Amino acid sequence: DTGVSQNPRHKITKRGQNVTFRCDPISEHNRLYWYRQTLGQGPEFLTYFQNEAQLEKSRLLSDRFSAERPKGSFSTLEIQRTEQGDSAMYLCASSPGRALAGHNYGYTFGSGTRLTVV
Amino acid sequence: AQSVTQPDIHITVSEGASLELRCNYSYGATPYLFWYVQSPGQGLQLLLKYFSGDTLVQGIKGFEAEFKRSQSSFNLRKPSVHWSDAAEYFCAVESGNTPLVFGKGTRLSVIA
């Protein structure tokens, strides 16, 4: 397993267009997280899945944002009607269950998708 | 509210000097504590973590951190900084079922 993979690495889109990002987690990990990071800030939590169930969504996740993890494996994050304020790095992470992982527990992050809305 | 504070936005140290990056958190119970490093345009790499037990933890690249319950702190240290350590450092905390919460980060510059 080569870690968490995110595609595309970069996306430039015009305001008002829809975009979709993909995240492939580490295959043994049942939890998958999406974060957003703007310049000079720490990553901010957006949403997370345990298997295919979306368990929590941040207030940052407006109704223009939707995330799915249909078979409990890869996940997609879609942004509809993009705005310039959506420009950011979108990070995906995965983790095993805390109880089973013990001291191996932790989040593994992908390299992110950088979105620029023009 | 749960929060993670990194008081120093930017730190500059000379190569070979020691380093300490501060992190404070506000959570009820002892949380899981992490330090990550991020180079420009890259994802986050885990440096070290603390769950329980010995309060001084060793990580990769010669970094260590000490958990101090009385001060709600988890400061990152390195005895001798290398130019390649220049990056952004993030402290992060997980408590209960709340996913990882990050501080705003500390940018480290290393001068010759």
Side-chain angles (χ1 to χ4, degrees):
Chain A
D1 202 330
T2 55
V4 178
S5 176
Q6 291 189 248
N7 288 289
R9 289 294 307 274
H10 304 274
K11 178 71 176 178
I12 300 175
T13 190
K14 292 184 178 179
R15 190 175 51 187
Q17 298 293 304
N18 300 343
V19 294
T20 300
F21 311 141
R22 177 179 171 124
C23 172
D24 288 90
I26 293 174
S27 56
E28 302 84 37
H29 289 180
N30 61 351
R31 290 192 170 191
L32 186 149
Y33 309 82
W34 285 99
Y35 284 80
R36 182 173 70 187
Q37 186 179 23
T38 53
L39 203 61
Q41 299 295 314
E44 296 172 298
F45 169 75
L46 292 178
T47 188
Y48 89 96
F49 295 83
Q50 181 159 303
N51 301 313
E52 65 274 10
Q54 189 172 17
L55 294 189
E56 188 172 337
K57 292 193 288 186
S58 160
R59 289 173 300 167
L60 294 175
L61 212 67
S62 75
D63 56 6
R64 295 184 299 105
F65 287 69
S66 63
E68 294 182 342
R69 194 182 184 197
K71 296 182 180 179
S73 56
F74 73 92
S75 175
T76 57
L77 178 68
E78 181 183 18
I79 308 174
Q80 296 182 326
R81 305 181 303 281
T82 52
E83 302 172 356
Q84 288 189 318
D86 297 330
S87 295
M89 175 80 90
Y90 290 84
L91 294 165
C92 176
S94 68
S95 76
R98 194 188 297 176
L100 286 177
H103 276 278
N104 290 324
Y105 179 72
Y107 291 41
T108 303
F109 281 83
S111 297
T113 294
R114 179 165 297 283
L115 172 66
T116 303
V117 182
V118 297
Chain B
Q2 299 169 335
S3 67
V4 181
T5 302
Q6 294 181 248
D8 304 305
I9 296 173
H10 183 207
I11 286 181
T12 300
V13 300
S14 299
E15 191 169 15
S18 64
L19 170 71
E20 182 170 31
L21 302 182
R22 295 182 290 165
C23 174
N24 293 93
Y25 62 89
S26 63
Y27 286 83
T30 300
Y32 285 22
L33 301 160
F34 303 81
W35 274 98
Y36 285 87
V37 62
Q38 186 178 38
S39 297
Q42 300 299 310
L44 297 157
Q45 182 182 23
L46 179 67
L47 287 175
L48 46 76
K49 58 190 175 184
Y50 172 79
F51 298 158
S52 63
D54 192 348
T55 56
L56 184 64
V57 293
Q58 303 296 320
I60 63 171
K61 304 185 178 186
F63 285 92
E64 66 178 28
E66 186 172 12
F67 168 60
K68 292 186 177 180
R69 184 190 305 274
S70 61
Q71 298 176 18
S72 297
S73 69
F74 188 55
N75 294 349
L76 181 72
R77 302 194 293 248
K78 186 169 184 176
S80 177
V81 169
H82 188 261
W83 64 266
S84 61
D85 293 324
E88 189 91 19
Y89 291 81
F90 293 96
C91 180
V93 174
E94 184 184 60
S95 180
N97 289 323
T98 304
L100 210 55
V101 174
F102 286 84
K104 292 186 182 296
T106 297
R107 183 161 62 94
L108 174 65
S109 296
V110 181
I111 58 176

